[in-house]
Amino acid sequence: LGTKPVKIQLTKLEKKAVKIIPTPTENVYINGYRAYRKFIDEVPKEEKEKYPYERRDIASTSELQSLINGKRSILDIKNNLDVQYERKSKLQSILNYIKVLELAGLVKVDHEI
């Protein structure tokens, strides 16, 4: 048809998110993500406030948690959520939520969030 292919360019935040691959820690395997709230509640409030997120800005935190497997990047996780749910997730909220999970000892990340 003579059209040129679309060149997809990632935003600065997407470029950051594609490099970060979260991995579940042993805490997840011992207690499961159903007990994640206990770990998050133990993170000092002043630390959590550095990484604000709104639950409504993430289509499903429980699905997000199940997508963390040490192979998917944070951008992959966002894209998975976006195809599964009508409501789109905000990438910054996902990054912040995963940082809180890291502070809670539920995930490790290979790059700084």
Side-chain angles (χ1 to χ4, degrees):
L1 298 172
T3 60
K4 294 182 181 182
V6 175
K7 184 176 179 182
I8 298 174
Q9 292 189 336
L10 299 178
T11 66
K12 184 177 177 180
L13 193 59
E14 289 170 332
K15 287 177 184 178
K16 177 180 179 179
V18 79
K19 294 177 184 176
I20 303 169
I21 300 174
T23 303
T25 67
E26 60 281 347
N27 290 337
V28 171
Y29 298 115
I30 293 169
N31 296 310
Y33 268 117
R34 295 184 191 264
Y36 77 101
R37 177 61 43 205
K38 172 186 157 255
F39 291 99
I40 290 175
D41 288 344
E42 292 173 0
V43 176
K45 182 180 178 182
E46 56 276 0
E47 287 297 310
K48 283 191 273 190
E49 288 174 349
K50 292 178 187 176
Y51 304 96
Y53 63 91
E54 294 289 330
R55 291 184 70 107
R56 68 177 176 262
D57 291 339
I58 301 172
S60 170
T61 54
S62 61
E63 182 63 20
L64 181 152
Q65 294 156 4
S66 69
L67 289 168
I68 295 172
N69 65 358
K71 296 177 183 175
R72 291 182 188 92
S73 73
I74 292 178
L75 186 59
D76 292 334
I77 291 168
K78 182 204 182 309
N79 290 337
N80 272 274
L81 290 172
D82 287 350
V83 298
Q84 291 182 58
Y85 296 91
E86 186 175 329
R87 181 171 36 123
K88 301 297 179 206
S89 297
K90 292 184 179 178
L91 183 54
Q92 187 62 61
S93 288
I94 291 173
L95 283 161
N96 289 353
Y97 184 72
I98 290 176
K99 180 62 179 184
V100 171
L101 293 178
E102 179 186 28
L103 292 170
L106 293 166
V107 300
K108 292 183 275 186
V109 295
D110 59 347
H111 285 80
E112 184 62 30
I113 293 181

